[in-house]
Amino acid sequence: MNAQALFTAYSTIVLREIRRFTRIWPQTLLPPAVTMTLYFIIFGNLIGSRIGDMGGFDYMSFIVPGLIMMAVITSSYANVVSSFFSMKFQRSVEELLVSPVPNWIILAGYVTGGMARGLGIGFIVTLLSLAFTRLEIHNLPMVVITVFLTSALFAVGGFINALLATKFDDVSIVPTFILTPLTYLGGVFYSIDMLPDFWQSVSMVNPILYMVNGFRFGILGVSDVNPFVSLGMIVIFITVLSFVALKLLERGKGIRH
């Protein structure tokens, strides 16, 4: 395929994904906005007023970057896993398999679609947060790079989950039993400096810790880990998962019988 054909295939997948989640916006865009608003009210206003400062900032300001990142992570992941698995279930994915579209274009298209939803949700949550606190960006390039890379990473993760899933229950296992615990233990609501040394070391194994802290550094200028280490870890995770996704796609794992 020439460059024009590749771009047409890529843009077709992306536009279809964007139209899919915008068409059903009460299911895809509204729930995360409501959930994050409740987090702002309960954790930020009600509980935060009793906690006081953390990391040199009031508690609401401290948790806002983590909540924005949590919304981006869950939305990017959910968009790809639900969309691609639905195509598998309806057997419409076979149209892609018999087409001359390269595997990397298929992956890139779905990942970009997942990023569009994740970044859109992140923007909505950021606007909502302005009703509760004042955001002053410390390092804009760090904010943009971190949120884009994190969104891409979990979109790839959602793609792998969709490939490996054999029934609808498999789609919810990873978000429920892996993604949610890692997110809550990834420094969204606290600084790991509050933990004993042993648990600080355990927390460093959590990949979401690097994403939350990289984003928090970009907004507040404080982080539990070196922000450049955070970016490096995210790039490594994206590289590894993209390689795995392409290998699974090449083997037809879960889509060829």
Side-chain angles (χ1 to χ4, degrees):
M1 298 179 70
N2 57 36
Q4 181 62 41
L6 291 174
F7 178 75
T8 299
Y10 168 76
S11 59
T12 300
I13 296 173
V14 174
L15 289 174
R16 184 185 63 196
E17 288 298 290
I18 293 175
R19 286 171 182 161
R20 186 190 71 85
F21 73 74
T22 52
R23 187 174 62 250
I24 54 173
W25 64 269
Q27 302 174 39
T28 57
L29 302 181
L30 188 58
V34 173
T35 301
M36 289 303 125
T37 300
L38 292 175
Y39 276 123
F40 291 143
I41 294 172
I42 296 172
F43 286 93
N45 282 349
L46 302 181
I47 298 178
S49 60
R50 299 174 180 271
I51 293 177
D53 291 348
M54 185 170 293
F57 297 88
D58 64 88
Y59 190 65
M60 174 66 85
S61 298
F62 183 83
I63 66 171
V64 161
L67 291 175
I68 295 172
M69 190 58 69
M70 184 165 70
V72 170
I73 287 172
T74 54
S75 298
S76 300
Y77 192 96
N79 190 79
V80 180
V81 69
S82 61
S83 176
F84 194 79
F85 183 77
S86 294
M87 285 195 67
K88 280 177 54 177
F89 183 77
Q90 298 165 0
R91 296 193 176 274
S92 55
V93 71
E94 295 172 0
E95 298 174 7
L96 275 178
L97 298 180
V98 299
S99 71
V101 179
N103 289 337
W104 66 271
I105 287 289
I106 296 174
L107 176 63
Y110 276 96
V111 168
T112 305
M115 291 176 64
R117 177 175 165 186
L119 295 173
I121 290 295
F123 180 71
I124 292 171
V125 174
T126 301
L127 292 180
L128 290 172
S129 71
L130 296 178
F132 299 91
T133 188
R134 182 180 176 184
L135 292 181
E136 294 183 1
I137 307 299
H138 171 74
N139 188 323
L140 183 59
M142 188 69 181
V143 169
V144 174
I145 294 172
T146 302
V147 74
F148 268 79
L149 290 179
T150 301
S151 181
L153 171 61
F154 283 93
V156 177
F159 190 86
I160 294 175
N161 189 177
L163 282 172
L164 297 177
T166 57
K167 54 185 182 297
F168 279 105
D169 288 344
D170 295 338
V171 171
S172 61
I173 289 176
V174 173
T176 302
F177 295 104
I178 298 178
L179 202 54
T180 299
L182 287 179
T183 302
Y184 279 97
L185 297 174
V188 173
F189 298 103
Y190 60 88
S191 169
I192 63 170
D193 288 341
M194 301 172 60
L195 303 176
D197 291 340
F198 172 76
W199 290 110
Q200 286 189 36
S201 300
V202 172
S203 296
M204 297 301 287
V205 181
N206 185 350
I208 294 181
L209 176 75
Y210 298 94
M211 302 161 204
V212 169
N213 276 278
F215 192 68
R216 181 174 286 135
F217 174 82
I219 293 182
L220 301 179
V222 297
S223 176
D224 291 329
V225 295
N226 187 303
F228 296 103
V229 172
S230 297
L231 289 180
M233 294 296 291
I234 299 173
V235 170
I236 291 172
F237 290 135
I238 291 176
T239 303
V240 172
L241 290 188
S242 296
F243 176 80
V244 171
L246 288 173
K247 281 297 182 182
L248 291 174
L249 201 55
E250 181 183 336
R251 290 168 49 193
K253 181 67 175 179
I255 51 180
R256 287 193 177 97
H257 304 284

